[in-house]
Structures are given as C-alpha cells and as structure tokens.
Amino acid sequence: MKIALPSTPTMHFDTIHSNLSVSSPSNLPLCSSESCLAFPAGRTASQAPTPGADQLGYGRWISYYYSAILFIFSLIYWMQRIRNRARQCSTEKTTPAQNLLALWRGWSYRRPAGRVGATFRMSYSMLSLLLLSLLTTILLAFVQRPYYRPPVGEGPPPIGVRAGLMAVALMPPIVALSGKFNIVTLLTGISHERLNVLHRWVAYICMGLALVHALPFILVPLWDGGRAGLKEEYYQHGSSGYTGTPVISLLFFITLFSIHPLRRRFYETFVYTHILASIVFLVLLFWHSSNTLHSWDYLWATVAVWALSLIGRLVFKMRIASMGGIRGVETSVEELDGGGMLRVSVDTRGKWAGEGMRWSPGQHLFLRWPKIGIVDNHPFTIASVRDEAARLDEKGGGAPSTRLRFLIKPHHGVTKKLAKHACIHGQSKPLRAFIDGPYGGVNRPLEFLYESVILVAGGGGITAVLPWLVHLSRKMGTEGCVTREVRLVWTVKHRHALEWVAEDLREAIDVAPAGSVGIEYYVTVEGEGSELDVDSSHQLKKQQIRKISEARSDVIEVAAAIALEDDRKFSRRYTCDTVDIEAAMDMARTEKIVRVHTREFEFGPGLFGRPVLETLIPEMVRLERTIVVGCGPESLKIDLSNTVARCQKTVLKGEVREVALHTETFGW
C-alpha cells in the first residue's frame, strides 16, 4: 500500500501519522532516512507502545528498591541500639516478640552445607535477599513488552535501553557496598567484610544486565543488515557498540576475577588490579552512556559515594597524623611454633585525642609494610585487648601505652615475606607499618546483654574470640555486667598451639570469678615425637591429675580430646589421654586451676578429634540469654550456624529466652 506524501514540508506530523498504513516508512524505497518527512513520524509511531522516555523509570525503580532495603536494615539496627542502651534482662517468661525472633533466627541462621555452602558462603537470610534482588531485577527487565521496536530496525530496542539504565543505576549501591568505610556500615552497623558478599553478587547482577543490554544492540543490526550491517553500525562515529565494548569487557574481567577460587588463588594480583580496573571502567562508562536518559546522575552519585568512602577512611581510620605520621609505626615480628605462626606487635602510643588508639574485641586492622610490599594492604584480626588502665608513658607525652598483637599464619605473599624477615632478623630489626582501621567486630555490648557467652574457634580463628575471652573475664563481677559464664571451644591441629595464647588463657582464668570460665581444646593431629607408651603414660597422667584435683577445690575444667588414629591406616597410634601435664601443673600453681580430662563423644566420619558441635553447643545453652561467637574455617561456621539455628527450639519451648549468633569472616 502506498502512502500519499505531503505536498508541503510544513504539514504537521500528526496529519502524516494519521495517513500511515501498517507498513513502516523505513521499509519503503522512497522513505528510508530522516530526509523523508514520514520517517520521523513512523519512528514515533513505532515507539508509542514503549516510549524511550519511559525507560528512565526503570533506573529509578532500582534506586528505590535498594534504598528501601537500606532503610529497613537501618531501622532494625537503630532499634537494636536503643534496646542495647536499655541493658535490661527481664526475668519474665518468654515474650511473643522473643518467640518471633527465635523463629526468624531458626531459619535465617541456617546455611547450605557441602559444596553449595562453601561456594555461596552465606546464610539463608542473605541468600533470600539476593534472590529477591535477582527476581526484582528480572521482573523489571523482562515483564514489559515488546522487547524490540516494530519493525526491528526502528530505534533502540527497549529491553536494551532499560537493562543498560538499570545496570548504571546499580553503580552507587555496588560502590557503597565495597568500601571499608562506607555509608551502608554507618547506617546499618554491618561491617564491610560482610557487605563484601553483597557487593560481589550485586556486581554479578549488574554483569547480567550488561549482557541483556548489549545483546539486542548486536542482534538488531545483524537481523536488519546481516554481518555487513552489524559492521557498519559498530564502526559508526559515536556508535554505542564501539564505546560499549571496552566497558563490558572490563566489567567481565572485574566480576570474573572476583570469583572466590580465583580471588583466593591470585589474591595479590586481584588487589592490584581490582581498584584500577574499576576506576577505568567508571571513566569509560561516562563515555559510553553519554548522559542518555540522565544516566550521568547515577554515575556522579557513584563518584560521590566513592569520595565519601575514601575521605572517611583517610580521616577516621588511617590516622596518618597520629599513628606515626608518614613514617608509620614500628612493628616487631616474632616466630612462634618453629615459624608456623608469627606474633606481630605494634605500639599504639599516639597523641590523637591524647588517648592512643581504641579498638574492641573481634575487630581487625589493615597493615601495610612498605619495605616488604608497598602496595600490599592486608587485614589481620587483633588478638589483644586494649588495657583500660594502661600505664602512662612519659616518653609518649602522657598518652597510654597499649600494644596491638596479631597472630599471623604465613601463607603466600606478604605473610611469607614477614616470616622470612622474622627468620633472618627476629625482633632485632622492627618494621615500620601503616595502620588502617579498626573495622568489624560485634556491635553489641555482650557483657550487658548475655548471661552466657560461648566462643568457638578453629585454628587461627582463635584471634577473633580470644579478646572476648579476656575482655569478658575482666568484666565479670563488675557493676552492670550480667555475664556469668564464658566457654571457649578451640579446635587445633597440634596441642602445642596452646603456646600461642597461653598467657591470655591464664589471665582469663586468673581474673574471672572461680568456675566462670571453661576452656575446651580439641586436637586433631599430633606432631612428631608424640608417640607414647599408651599404658604407662595413661597411668602416670591419671595419678598426677588426681593429685591436682584433690588439692584444689575451685576447679575450672580444661578439656582436651586428642585424635585417635586407626591402626589400619596409620603406622602409629596415639592415645586420647596425651594431655600436656607440664602445662597443667604450671596452671595448677596459680590460684584457680585445673582438672584435665578427656571428653567422650562420637566421632564423625573421618573427623577424628573434632568436636561434634551439634551435641556440644546445646549442652552449653543453659542460662536465659546466650550468644555464640565463632570464627574458623567455612565448614566450622556452617556447622555452628546450623547448630545455633536448631537451638532456637529451646526458646520456643520456653526453656531459655534468647540464643544469638555472631560469626567472623575467616579468610579473604
């Protein structure tokens, strides 16, 4: 069907539009460009079902969604802070609110087990939040139809436009979730290492949107003009395909390299490239988007969020003016356990506010040693407690002298270089380091909220819970403290790992009220020289323990379970009773101590000497309010989370009023 073209160029487009047939002007040989007056009218008609301006709302809906999530978590956090300030432990029966909280925790604490849990590294609650975010994104991107203009070649495809705008709208939340000092942590109290999981997965969603955005712009010219049409469209001046290729390539590189196995295997390279690639990506995104549909509003918001994070970190966390200036602070490195563990000490004397540095149990710092890696900035958990009554050092101008201590297991990169320095120089040659932090920790005053605190650690995870053991031991018996007992469960490979923290364990036992501290350590592997005559050592140890326990009435138990290896698989056999008697005798000389014993439990398949948390933790949940704090390998945290989730049944039955959980990140 032919169309009567207007006789004058001044005819209004509405008149032309009324004369259009179903066929598109662009399909007619005489009307295939902007020179034809009917061509703009035809393009306008093709855009009527899904106007380009309407796609602007999809970016806004993404912003509204994440703003609503932020508001909800902020509200929960500040309500919790108000509750914490009340510091009241009611003696009434379990309330409906506590039952509701137990139901929520019974589901939200649970974590997938096996390879799925090790891959996703998140609880059911976080997994549900990500699934909700993914579902919201899919609905916004794919519900509206048509995906392409009718006919295909008439203007940019709607699905590509809105997917691109939604991807750009995700930039502010992605950057906000990435910073160590960020607005999300300030509003919700959730530390950066927990937000980092959300940061990665929201970035994966952004990558998916980028693909949905790019594919239609490839398919449309390919359908319209074949390979020649695609090539012509791609190499046009200012073509979105030409400017978008480096952007999506960089985004693919950033997201691929952030997958846990790759990030862990090439951590040093990941750290070097991630920030640089992200900066280049953001700059190229300005170029590619060209402020289409006000897309630069999201990008400038991203720059503002990033700047806030960097400035806040520089001013409030790095403390260059107070912690050693541009030269940093002195750190001493000492070998423990034959080089298997390093103890790093930092003197935090400073003039900042005249008080030196403050930190809380469970927090971590980032340390950078310019001499062994000028760009290596690694997180380490603080293994010491700040001394509230630290002595005044005259040389420090009256500022309290408090030492930070870290226990660091050498692996690769900077920790391997640290071990080499300690081996060659020992403590005779201190290293200067820059401090960034502290970050993380528990944002609740445990000593004012929980009668019982259970600390669970695996291997080097002791650094996160040991400060809590010492801190709570000091606090128990003081005004306002409601904590009545603290239990430590520590799983180690070798029993001589106790030497790492022996001083702190003794202090905890010494300062706490008698019987209020319990320490249980489980040894899964014995080292060389541990082969013993089972019968003779067993009898000798029993006699010594009997003498100790009979001499002391105020006994605190230090339980040990040593691996019992199968004769059919190993050439040597160890007894469950090989406990360090010398250490027990040494502890017995103090005011409080100790009865050494073995704990009977059922071994899991192949898990010799490991505590069965599913049985052990419920036995320890006896008082009205209990919190379990854990740090260790991912498998330990999964077992611990699922065990505490099952413990919520005791709240629903009215046996206790609260069983809470806090786990620390172990590994990066």
Side-chain angles (χ1 to χ4, degrees):
M1 182 182 295
K2 295 184 179 180
I3 300 176
L5 298 178
S7 58
T8 65
T10 58
M11 182 180 292
H12 197 274
F13 288 159
D14 290 342
T15 305
I16 300 174
H17 184 273
S18 64
N19 293 326
L20 288 175
S21 67
V22 177
S23 299
S24 170
S26 63
N27 289 336
L28 300 176
L30 299 178
C31 191
S32 59
S33 68
E34 297 287 347
S35 60
C36 174
L37 293 179
F39 188 88
R43 171 168 288 184
T44 301
S46 72
Q47 295 190 14
T50 53
D54 287 356
Q55 308 308 307
L56 178 64
Y58 289 92
R60 290 175 179 170
W61 279 111
I62 287 290
S63 299
Y64 296 155
Y65 170 78
Y66 284 95
S67 297
I69 296 295
L70 179 62
F71 174 77
I72 292 171
F73 278 87
S74 301
L75 184 63
I76 294 172
Y77 170 65
W78 289 102
M79 289 177 63
Q80 185 184 72
R81 290 200 63 172
I82 294 173
R83 171 180 174 265
N84 292 345
R85 287 197 174 192
R87 296 179 180 178
Q88 294 178 355
C89 291
S90 172
T91 57
E92 299 176 0
K93 295 182 179 180
T94 306
T95 64
Q98 290 169 337
N99 287 330
L100 187 61
L101 180 61
L103 284 172
W104 165 252
R105 287 173 170 171
W107 176 80
S108 64
Y109 282 167
R110 291 186 180 275
R111 296 182 56 177
R115 291 186 178 181
V116 175
T119 300
F120 288 94
R121 293 170 164 258
M122 62 183 73
S123 64
Y124 281 5
S125 56
M126 186 175 291
L127 189 60
S128 299
L129 177 61
L130 288 175
L131 289 176
L132 177 63
S133 302
L134 180 61
L135 178 61
T136 301
T137 303
I138 291 173
L139 289 175
L140 288 174
F142 291 101
V143 165
Q144 189 185 49
R145 291 174 180 269
Y147 295 156
Y148 301 94
R149 303 292 182 192
V152 171
E154 295 290 351
I159 190 172
V161 173
R162 64 175 171 267
L165 196 62
M166 289 165 64
V168 173
L170 282 176
M171 289 296 106
I174 287 174
V175 172
L177 292 168
S178 69
K180 296 177 181 64
F181 183 94
N182 61 78
I183 189 171
V184 180
T185 298
L186 293 176
L187 293 176
T188 66
I190 304 173
S191 186
H192 74 93
E193 72 275 9
R194 295 176 178 275
L195 295 176
N196 194 260
V197 178
L198 295 174
H199 161 70
R200 292 196 300 270
W201 283 93
V202 174
Y204 298 153
I205 293 175
C206 180
M207 181 70 228
L209 284 172
L211 291 174
V212 175
H213 163 69
L215 285 175
F217 285 93
I218 296 174
L219 295 175
V220 166
L222 191 63
W223 290 337
D224 201 34
R227 292 185 178 181
L230 176 62
K231 184 176 180 180
E232 180 183 357
E233 176 71 21
Y234 184 84
Y235 286 107
Q236 280 185 3
H237 177 71
S239 164
S240 60
Y242 183 80
T243 62
T245 300
V247 176
I248 198 170
S249 300
L250 265 177
L251 181 59
F252 178 76
F253 168 78
I254 292 170
T255 53
L256 178 66
F257 214 2
S258 67
I259 296 174
H260 183 260
L262 292 177
R263 186 178 74 253
R264 183 181 180 87
R265 177 65 181 85
F266 306 102
Y267 182 77
E268 304 290 344
T269 306
F270 168 78
V271 172
Y272 299 152
T273 59
H274 192 71
I275 297 178
L276 178 61
S278 300
I279 294 173
V280 175
F281 166 76
L282 186 60
V283 172
L284 292 177
L285 194 55
F286 270 100
W287 175 45
H288 171 63
S289 61
S290 302
N291 203 22
T292 303
L293 296 178
H294 305 285
S295 56
W296 280 10
D297 292 350
Y298 301 106
L299 299 184
W300 284 120
T302 303
V303 173
V305 170
W306 204 340
L308 174 65
S309 175
L310 292 176
I311 294 172
R313 184 178 172 189
L314 183 65
V315 173
F316 297 105
K317 297 296 183 179
M318 299 188 73
R319 301 175 182 174
I320 295 176
S322 62
M323 301 303 296
I326 59 174
R327 297 178 64 239
V329 295
E330 284 191 355
T331 65
S332 62
V333 186
E334 175 188 1
E335 282 187 310
L336 301 175
D337 198 9
M341 183 66 69
L342 303 176
R343 177 189 289 146
V344 176
S345 300
V346 183
D347 195 341
T348 65
R349 284 176 301 194
K351 299 181 176 61
W352 188 76
E355 296 181 352
M357 183 177 175
R358 290 182 174 271
W359 69 91
S360 301
Q363 289 191 305
H364 62 271
L365 292 171
F366 284 79
L367 297 178
R368 178 188 286 114
W369 291 273
K371 284 192 175 181
I372 63 174
I374 192 168
V375 294
D376 293 336
N377 195 35
H378 284 251
F380 300 105
T381 304
I382 305 170
S384 57
V385 178
R386 187 178 188 275
D387 192 349
E388 299 287 348
R391 63 181 177 84
L392 295 181
D393 192 334
E394 295 178 0
K395 187 176 180 180
S401 175
T402 339
R403 294 189 72 82
L404 288 163
R405 283 187 289 109
F406 305 88
L407 294 175
I408 301 173
K409 189 171 182 62
H411 289 288
H412 304 287
V414 69
T415 57
K416 185 176 180 180
K417 296 175 184 176
L418 267 182
K420 183 178 180 181
H421 175 88
C423 180
I424 297 173
H425 302 287
Q427 300 185 66
S428 61
K429 188 177 180 181
L431 284 171
R432 286 201 165 269
F434 293 102
I435 292 178
D436 178 9
Y439 300 100
V442 185
N443 54 27
R444 287 171 285 177
L446 303 189
E447 64 269 26
F448 300 118
L449 298 174
Y450 299 98
E451 290 93 338
S452 176
V453 179
I454 302 172
L455 308 172
V456 183
I462 189 65
T463 57
V465 301
L466 183 65
W468 277 114
L469 178 67
V470 177
H471 172 76
L472 293 169
S473 298
R474 292 176 180 178
K475 291 292 185 180
M476 280 192 292
T478 61
E479 184 179 357
C481 179
V482 300
T483 303
R484 292 159 49 191
E485 67 174 25
V486 182
R487 295 288 179 262
L488 170 65
V489 179
W490 185 23
T491 305
V492 294
K493 288 184 177 180
H494 305 281
R495 57 179 177 170
H496 51 72
L498 288 172
E499 298 173 5
W500 308 343
V501 296
E503 183 180 343
D504 296 287
L505 294 180
R506 291 190 185 101
E507 179 188 352
I509 292 171
D510 284 342
V511 301
S516 59
V517 173
I519 302 172
E520 302 189 6
Y521 65 93
Y522 294 79
V523 183
T524 60
V525 178
E526 281 285 36
E528 294 297 328
S530 60
E531 187 172 5
L532 299 172
D533 182 351
V534 176
D535 294 332
S536 61
S537 65
H538 179 74
Q539 296 299 325
L540 178 63
K541 187 184 74 68
K542 274 198 170 183
Q543 293 174 6
Q544 290 178 327
I545 293 173
R546 189 178 297 111
K547 291 180 180 179
I548 296 172
S549 60
E550 288 174 356
R552 303 299 311 173
S553 58
D554 49 348
V555 173
I556 296 177
E557 297 181 356
V558 178
I562 309 300
L564 181 61
E565 302 188 13
D566 195 329
D567 287 326
R568 293 169 295 180
K569 297 181 180 179
F570 300 89
S571 60
R572 297 184 300 174
R573 178 178 177 179
Y574 310 118
T575 172
C576 285
D577 295 310
T578 54
V579 180
D580 193 340
I581 299 304
E582 288 74 19
M585 293 295 291
D586 182 55
M587 298 180 78
R589 295 188 188 100
T590 65
E591 296 275 47
K592 303 255 161 100
I593 229 11
V594 321
R595 173 163 53 88
V596 184
H597 68 91
T598 57
R599 173 178 290 275
E600 298 293 335
F601 58 88
E602 180 181 358
F603 289 115
L607 301 179
F608 297 101
R610 298 184 185 276
V612 182
L613 297 178
E614 184 178 356
T615 303
L616 185 63
I617 298 301
E619 291 176 355
M620 294 182 172
V621 177
R622 299 187 299 266
L623 301 181
E624 294 295 330
R625 287 181 174 85
T626 300
I627 184 169
V628 182
V629 181
C631 184
E634 203 64 25
S635 57
L636 181 143
K637 291 195 294 183
I638 290 173
D639 291 343
L640 188 62
S641 298
N642 291 332
T643 297
V644 176
R646 286 189 288 270
C647 285
Q648 303 306 316
K649 294 179 182 178
T650 60
V651 179
L652 298 176
K653 292 178 181 178
E655 298 174 4
V656 298
R657 282 198 290 275
E658 183 179 1
V659 184
L661 172 70
H662 176 87
T663 56
E664 290 287 349
T665 299
F666 186 81
W668 296 83

